[in-house]
Amino acid sequence: MKINNQQGRLYLVGVGPGDPELMTCKAARILEQTKVWVAPKAKKNGNSSALQIAAAQIGMADKNVLELRFPMIKIHLGREQASEVAQAWQEAAAVVWSHLEMGDDVAFPTLGDPALYSTAFYLLDTLQVRHPEVRVTIVPGITAMAACSARVCSPLGLGDDVVSIVPAAFDDGRLRTILTTFDAVVLMKVFRKMDRIVPLLDELGLTDKAVLIERCGMNDQRIYTDIRQTLNRDLHYFSTILVRKKQSIM
């Protein structure tokens, strides 16, 4: 058994939107140096997308890799979470802490950037409640919206644009208000919501100002400049819509 009086450090590492070459130098260095990786996955028998990205750049031959399930269930902040979700967070925190208290550094690769709708902060919050002394370093990553913007050669915001970032998974009237209020809107997590989003964009006259990017930067990437074509399609989870009302800077 390894005995070490020095607590290990937890690294929450953004590995970018999918293309391994979009991982930052700092993310690659920390993942290379850290021997214990804890990677999130959505399904018990599924794979961790973040782990696949990290492995494509770093390799896992000398790593102790632990894949932990984080259920894809809608999170409502300020409310009691579903028992399945809360249990997953607690179990993950226990696994991570078991390594940290032995002096091992732990890297938690996460898609995109840890600060933007990432599993990483659910883990961190759970850990901090149980172990306030936990040491953590957060490594930012390139976001999906940044990669999508680059892929379609369109800015997210310019000049006096006001930009909104929206998880399209919520089912209330806020989306209509946001689309009518802001100059540019990024719609995330749209893969099961197109039957609701497309009619709303049609109604607001925004369909022709929207583009959907599926699996941005990956080998099977698809770009839909006519988002009506996505209706009745089984879109991948990695699907993002960019809506930009001002099509010209002049």
Side-chain angles (χ1 to χ4, degrees), residues 69-220:
R69 179 174 175 255
F70 289 78
M72 288 182 62
I73 297 176
K74 192 181 301 183
I75 304 300
H76 297 279
L77 298 183
R79 305 183 196 176
E80 184 175 350
Q81 305 304 328
S83 59
E84 182 183 3
V85 171
Q87 181 178 350
W89 294 353
Q90 294 291 341
E91 290 176 354
V95 170
V96 169
W97 183 252
S98 70
H99 288 276
L100 295 177
E101 69 176 347
M102 292 298 295
D104 296 324
D105 292 337
V106 176
F108 186 89
T110 185
L111 290 168
D113 180 88
L116 193 64
Y117 302 115
S118 168
T119 305
F121 266 93
Y122 301 136
L123 170 64
L124 179 59
D125 285 350
T126 306
L127 265 172
Q128 288 177 327
V129 168
R130 298 173 62 174
H131 305 285
E133 70 276 22
V134 65
R135 303 190 308 150
V136 62
T137 295
I138 298 173
V139 182
I142 294 174
T143 62
M145 73 186 77
C148 290
S149 171
R151 188 62 59 167
V152 298
C153 298
S154 177
L156 293 173
L158 286 176
D160 59 354
D161 279 341
V162 180
V163 182
S164 178
I165 304 166
V166 184
F170 55 64
D171 297 309
D172 56 36
R174 287 178 293 172
L175 184 55
R176 177 187 297 274
T177 301
I178 289 168
L179 286 167
T180 56
T181 302
F182 291 89
D183 302 304
V185 179
V186 179
L187 297 176
M188 304 178 67
K189 305 181 181 180
V190 301
F191 67 115
R192 292 177 180 167
K193 300 294 181 179
M194 296 308 295
D195 60 340
R196 181 171 63 92
I197 293 172
V198 172
L200 179 58
L201 291 174
D202 271 337
E203 177 189 337
L204 298 176
L206 295 174
T207 311
D208 294 336
K209 299 182 184 299
V211 58
L212 184 146
I213 304 93
E214 181 182 20
R215 294 179 64 85
C216 182
M218 301 181 188
N219 292 333
D220 52 352

Side-chain angles (χ1 to χ4, degrees), residues 36 42 60 64 88 102 142:
V36 180
M60 300 188 300
N64 178 9
M102 292 298 295
I142 294 174

